[in-house]
Amino acid sequence: MVTGTSRGLGQYMGRALARAGADLIITSRKTEDLAPFQAEVEALGRKAFPVALDVRNYDSIQAGVAAGLAHYGKIDILVNNAGLNVRKPAVEISWDEWNLVLETNLRGTFFVAQAVARDCMIPRGYGRIINIGSVTSVFGYAGLTPYCASRGGVKQMTMSLADDWGKNGITVNCLAPGWFKTAQNSVLYENKEWLDYLVDRIPMRRPGAPQDLDGAVVFLASDASEYFTGQTMLVDGGISTGATRATVAPKA
Ligand SMILES: NC(=O)c1ccc[n+]([C@@H]2O[C@H](COP(=O)([O-])OP(=O)(O)OC[C@H]3O[C@@H](n4cnc5c(N)ncnc54)[C@H](OP(=O)(O)O)[C@@H]3O)[C@@H](O)[C@H]2O)c1
């Protein structure tokens, strides 16, 4: 089950899992938005079952997980990807914007994991939960305060759930992408000055590409990661090394 598969990183990771042999439950708030991706997954020879699921709504989460379980009889892997961002100076963030980000990214991630673990993974004694974090799980950025708070929370929640459910054969990890151009942030990439600044800080000298999460998500979803849990895996081209070429001190 990969949440938020109507576009963006959810599709990147769903595609990688399908290519590695997984049948998918794909989700969006509007199932009609899932039709193109469903067709793409089916063209790869795998199944894709579309489910309406709003991570801000408790009943919708329960119904979406129940529908997926009724269809396949089990969920082995959960990629908790659905999320959003509100980009604003901290002093301009409203009460409702704070709630929107935290309810979607942190509360939603928790309650989807809870439903899947409670109704399937714990009874079966097997599961791979991959919570999507971000470089903002471990770094702060001006203009991203609620987002950083939510992603830091996902990292901490991941460790807590890993401790709780390890005895049930469930691994819980946080896959933390760096900077990837998608619908939620494409406006940033239209600003050449900002893009130059970003690339200067990435040791691999480019933003993330669609295939860059493939290895990490397949590893975390597979039996190869059986003893790997509670971790935050940054896939960020090295931006978390703190590289800043333009400001490197000149040789004396
Ligand atoms: N792009 C990056 O550089 C980056 C880096 C690190 C982490 N992330 C995180 O990775 C995830 C995917 O990002 P993206 O860039 O691919 O964003 P995106 O293109 O905006 O896609 C977001 C996905 O989340 C779903 N979603 C949003 N609110 C939802 C809700 N209330 N209930 C259910 N689904 C909801 C959307 O589905 P519908 O609108 O169809 O319902 C959509 O499929 C997000 O959690 C994001 O914060 C992104």
Side-chain angles (χ1 to χ4, degrees):
M1 179 174 205
V2 186
T3 64
T5 19
S6 55
R7 56 183 183 270
L9 304 192
Q11 292 195 350
Y12 301 172
M13 293 182 284
R15 200 174 285 130
L17 292 172
R19 286 195 182 121
D23 292 324
L24 304 183
I25 299 163
I26 56 177
T27 86
S28 159
R29 283 166 290 185
K30 287 189 269 163
T31 44
E32 58 268 31
D33 291 347
L34 295 168
F37 190 55
Q38 180 182 4
E40 188 189 330
V41 173
E42 287 171 355
L44 292 172
R46 305 309 317 180
K47 295 180 198 154
F49 179 60
V51 163
L53 195 159
D54 181 348
V55 299
R56 292 182 72 206
N57 181 305
Y58 183 82
D59 292 340
S60 174
I61 293 171
Q62 308 313 308
V65 169
L69 282 174
H71 188 78
Y72 288 118
K74 62 171 185 168
I75 296 172
D76 294 318
I77 302 157
L78 168 65
V79 182
N80 244 325
N81 165 76
L84 50 69
N85 195 358
V86 173
R87 225 175 271 106
K88 272 187 179 179
V91 291
E92 291 175 20
I93 292 288
S94 71
W95 181 267
D96 288 346
E97 287 165 339
W98 177 272
N99 286 342
L100 172 66
V101 176
L102 272 289
E103 287 174 9
T104 307
N105 297 354
L106 186 55
R107 189 180 71 182
T109 295
F110 172 73
F111 280 100
V112 176
Q114 183 198 56
V116 173
R118 182 194 62 218
D119 295 344
C120 178
M121 290 179 176
I122 291 173
R124 288 186 67 229
Y126 180 89
R128 294 280 179 274
I129 296 178
I130 303 163
N131 295 323
I132 298 309
S134 154
V135 280
T136 63
S137 294
V138 291
F139 292 103
Y141 286 84
L144 297 178
T145 302
Y147 189 76
C148 291
S150 72
R151 293 293 171 219
V154 166
K155 172 179 176 288
Q156 294 298 119
M157 183 177 72
T158 294
M159 292 191 282
S160 178
L161 294 179
D163 186 29
D164 204 333
W165 297 337
K167 63 184 178 299
N168 303 110
I170 301 169
T171 63
V172 188
N173 290 292
C174 174
L175 198 176
W179 293 83
F180 288 70
K181 181 182 172 185
T182 62
Q184 73 151 321
N185 60 21
S186 58
V187 65
L188 294 174
Y189 291 81
E190 286 153 21
N191 179 341
K192 187 179 177 315
E193 205 183 342
W194 179 85
L195 189 56
D196 289 347
Y197 170 85
L198 176 71
V199 167
D200 179 64
R201 277 158 177 73
I202 301 176
M204 301 306 293
R205 311 313 306 270
R206 63 171 177 81
Q211 71 280 3
D212 284 330
L213 300 172
D214 291 9
V217 75
V218 170
F219 168 67
L220 293 175
S222 76
D223 288 338
S225 60
E226 184 176 350
Y227 202 56
F228 188 92
T229 194
Q231 304 304 306
T232 292
M233 186 187 272
L234 286 146
V235 182
D236 64 355
I239 196 168
S240 50
T241 60
T244 51
R245 253 160 301 282
T247 53
V248 165
K251 282 196 180 121

